[in-house]
Amino acid sequence: MSKTPITIARGDGIGPEIMDATLAILEAAGAQIEPTFIDIGKKVYESGNSTGITDEAWASLRSTGIFLKAPITTPQGGGYKSVNVTLRKSFGLFSNVRPVRTYQPFVNSKHDAIDMVIVRENEEDLYAGMEYRQTHDACHSLKVLSRAGSELICRYAFEYAKANGRKKVTCLVKDNIMKISDGLFHKVFDLIGEDYPEIEKEAIIVDIGMALVADKPENFDVLVTLNLYGDIVSDIASQIAGSVGLAGSMNIGHSCAMFEAVHGSAPDIAGKGIANPSGLLNGAILMLHHIGQNDIAVKIENAWLYTLENGEHTGDIAKDKSKALSTKEFGEAVIRNLGKKPNSLKVAAEEDFKQMRMPTHAERTLSVRNKELVGVDVFLEWEGGSPKDLGEKLAEITPSDMDFNLLANRGMKVYPMVNDDVEIIGDSWCCRFRGKDGHTKNESIQQLLANISDANIDWVKVENLYTFDSERGFSLLQGE
Ligand code: NAI
């Protein structure tokens, strides 16, 4: 078998320790890989490169398209962009797949029978990383969701479920509050779900959904959700399953795939040689399946399961801490056990791994939309008096073909006043204007902005208000 070129980053913190143990196991098992090692992360940030990724690293990743990555430390503050987020977005790694299982009675866990797969949208949502300080007091963070992106991840989740004989897909959203963004994801989930009649579907509000994952994880099979919720729920799931040190994950795109552990660089235990390499090893097992080396993947997984059954554990999961193995010793135990199979835990088999169909964007076509500009929200920084003072001033300078509708403070209508008790906080205001006769045009908005500037009021952001086939494309403000 010819060797598959792959790119490897040894990472930060515990990264090099767990990568060395993982690679030793891959080599002993006969994995046919040809690695190129790249530097990304802390060392690169500290050399003055704020992306954390060198040109050589980009070149290697473009050439191999397969990346085994140890965790990276993202320095807090200082304008550094997360390497993980940059890689996921640069290579279109739209799907983050995180299988979570329990290994009782060999690894203590809060529940008996967890066997779920979290499919997390990986490129959009609040991880678009578009944040703005708009006024002295207020900042905004953009939650960006697209219909195409939502469709791709929902279809991926159903295709994954279908290929792997999974029975149910659960969607987690917060569309009782975020009716337009999370509402879009929910609608797309329902629509795509119609193409998979054999699979049970459910959509749950994310807060109770996470509580249920923590309380009754056995009720979940495949979960599909937005980037931020997926990040949180996968940590909850892996923690209640035993340790964050156990679970691996894959980030899948159309031309590149990245495999890693779900946990981070664990600076608190770095350099001590005690980290559990299992998360990264499970990431590497997913990689071997992805590159078609199912026999090696299965051999390693069975040796690893046997090692867990045999009570050979690192400190994070050891029942008797005095007998805990180091990272290296645990790796050596797995190597010694290559060729063995677990006695009680489910034996991994090559036929369990099914190739799935990769979905493409927009397999369901969008119906033609009549998009109409009906108004505008203008955000202001202003501390010149009461909402009434500002409201009356804005009403005076509104162009004749527009109506000044209302003024809101943190999303709550404060003028015309509905309730004198509403507490006004900060210096950020949203002013809603609508076109007379139900529509407006860019020229009117430009005139409005010029009038606001002439009145010495600082406008900081503009959001156009549209309807799509008469359906409102913006939320009503509280009290509107
Ligand atoms: P973390 O996952 O690194 O650590 C959380 C806790 O779990 C710590 O107590 C740690 O000792 C323990 N732990 C983690 N992995 C373990 C292992 N393999 N064996 C035994 N114990 C383990 O999360 P934290 O502390 O919030 O983040 C540390 C750094 O990692 C941050 O800079 C963060 O940005 C980065 N990070 C990187 C990720 C990646 O590269 N994919 C993912 C998550 C965080």
Side-chain angles (χ1 to χ4, degrees):
M1 188 196 273
S2 65
K3 292 191 172 184
T4 305
I6 65 166
T7 303
I8 292 182
R10 296 174 77 242
D12 300 319
I14 58 169
E17 302 159 43
I18 58 174
M19 183 58 87
D20 286 349
T22 299
L23 291 178
I25 297 168
L26 261 58
E27 191 185 348
Q32 296 301 300
I33 52 172
E34 188 188 309
T36 300
F37 289 87
I38 58 167
D39 275 332
I40 57 171
K42 199 157 177 274
K43 205 160 98 186
V44 182
Y45 288 127
E46 284 169 359
S47 74
N49 179 334
S50 69
T51 65
I53 308 171
T54 61
D55 290 347
E56 296 76 36
W58 283 118
S60 171
L61 290 166
R62 273 190 213 101
S63 131
T64 66
I66 305 288
F67 188 23
L68 180 62
K69 184 183 79 64
I72 304 292
T73 300
T74 308
Q76 289 186 328
Y80 298 110
K81 295 303 270 187
S82 156
V83 165
N84 299 312
V85 176
T86 304
L87 288 170
R88 288 169 190 164
K89 292 169 75 112
S90 305
F91 288 104
L93 305 176
F94 66 90
S95 179
N96 188 335
V97 183
R98 297 180 163 188
V100 183
R101 281 175 61 189
T102 39
Y103 304 96
Q104 276 199 357
F106 308 102
V107 178
N108 285 338
S109 61
K110 301 250 183 313
H111 298 272
D112 294 344
I114 305 179
D115 182 9
M116 71 174 97
V117 178
I118 294 158
V119 177
R120 163 187 171 193
E121 197 290 317
N122 221 13
E123 296 181 278
E124 305 193 339
D125 193 8
L126 286 157
Y127 286 63
M130 290 192 276
E131 295 191 296
Y132 304 93
R133 180 169 171 187
Q134 293 288 354
T135 69
H136 283 78
D137 186 61
C139 37
H140 294 183
S141 183
L142 291 189
K143 172 162 175 151
V144 180
L145 256 67
S146 73
R147 189 187 186 285
S150 304
E151 179 173 333
L152 195 54
I153 194 68
C154 287
R155 195 174 284 286
Y156 184 95
F158 281 110
E159 286 292 332
Y160 181 95
K162 188 172 156 184
N164 290 284
R166 299 265 173 178
K167 303 278 176 284
K168 183 165 85 171
V169 180
T170 303
C171 168
L172 297 181
V173 275
K174 186 79 185 170
D175 60 340
N176 53 334
I177 302 295
M178 284 160 280
K179 296 188 165 70
I180 294 186
S181 51
D182 285 35
L184 169 73
F185 195 87
H186 188 167
K187 261 189 229 156
V188 169
F189 172 79
D190 288 344
L191 183 74
I192 301 300
E194 289 171 8
D195 294 345
Y196 303 86
E198 72 283 15
I199 296 174
E200 190 187 335
K201 297 128 207 131
E202 67 178 353
I204 311 186
I205 300 292
V206 64
D207 33 11
I208 187 64
M210 296 224 189
L212 290 171
V213 166
D215 190 38
K216 295 186 170 41
E218 64 279 5
N219 289 352
F220 293 91
D221 195 350
V222 174
L223 277 159
V224 63
T225 189
L226 305 179
N227 209 336
L228 177 63
Y229 309 147
D231 197 0
I232 298 170
V233 78
S234 51
D235 271 23
I236 294 175
S238 52
Q239 185 67 32
I240 59 168
S243 163
V244 288
L246 290 175
S249 93
M250 56 181 178
N251 299 264
I252 298 290
H254 288 110
S255 58
C256 187
M258 176 168 89
F259 302 85
E260 57 184 344
V262 298
H263 59 76
S265 57
D268 53 334
I269 56 167
K272 296 184 179 165
I274 57 170
N276 189 344
S278 299
L280 186 60
L281 183 65
N282 276 316
I285 290 171
L286 292 168
M287 177 191 78
L288 290 170
H289 282 299
H290 184 81
I291 60 178
Q293 298 185 24
N294 297 328
D295 50 342
I296 312 288
V298 161
K299 185 167 155 191
I300 295 175
E301 187 171 349
N302 283 327
W304 176 72
L305 291 168
Y306 179 90
T307 308
L308 291 187
E309 279 190 354
N310 212 24
E312 297 173 281
H313 293 165
T314 43
D316 55 328
I317 56 170
K319 290 181 182 167
D320 178 352
K321 300 290 175 205
S322 69
K323 295 201 179 123
L325 301 184
S326 69
T327 310
K328 192 159 180 271
E329 287 165 344
F330 180 80
E332 286 163 357
V334 176
I335 291 172
R336 248 190 338 269
N337 295 330
L338 284 168
K340 297 188 177 139
K341 289 184 179 165
N343 296 309
S344 326
L345 294 169
K346 185 171 175 283
V347 175
E350 276 185 61
E351 52 276 19
D352 290 345
F353 184 80
K354 310 279 184 336
Q355 281 295 348
M356 60 172 275
R357 186 182 76 83
M358 267 299 264
T360 56
H361 281 99
E363 292 179 19
R364 287 265 192 162
T365 48
L366 258 180
S367 54
V368 178
R369 299 302 245 174
N370 177 18
K371 176 180 169 188
E372 197 159 0
L373 181 60
V374 297
V376 65
D377 278 353
V378 182
F379 291 78
L380 310 176
E381 172 162 2
W382 191 74
E383 283 188 303
S386 70
K388 185 163 176 285
D389 296 337
L390 179 58
E392 286 174 356
K393 207 175 183 77
L394 290 169
E396 265 171 40
I397 60 175
T398 303
S400 58
D401 57 352
M402 293 181 111
D403 286 325
F404 167 55
N405 255 196
L406 61 88
L407 188 60
N409 181 270
R410 293 173 303 144
M412 180 77 202
K413 177 181 165 186
V414 291
Y415 179 84
M417 214 57 178
V418 267
N419 175 0
D420 284 339
D421 298 334
V422 173
E423 196 183 359
I424 311 294
I425 290 189
D427 55 8
S428 173
W429 307 86
C430 170
C431 319
R432 180 157 286 183
F433 301 84
R434 303 248 197 160
K436 288 203 161 100
D437 310 327
H439 55 88
T440 188
K441 47 191 188 309
N442 280 328
E443 291 75 9
S444 304
I445 294 174
Q446 281 160 9
Q447 183 60 56
L448 169 67
L449 295 177
N451 294 355
I452 294 175
S453 297
D454 289 347
N456 281 325
I457 301 174
D458 186 16
W459 59 268
V460 293
K461 186 169 103 156
V462 175
E463 287 280 359
N464 287 355
L465 308 179
Y466 295 103
T467 57
F468 295 80
D469 285 347
S470 305
E471 192 180 307
R472 215 174 355 92
F474 51 94
S475 55
L476 293 179
L477 297 162
Q478 296 290 339
E480 184 172 4

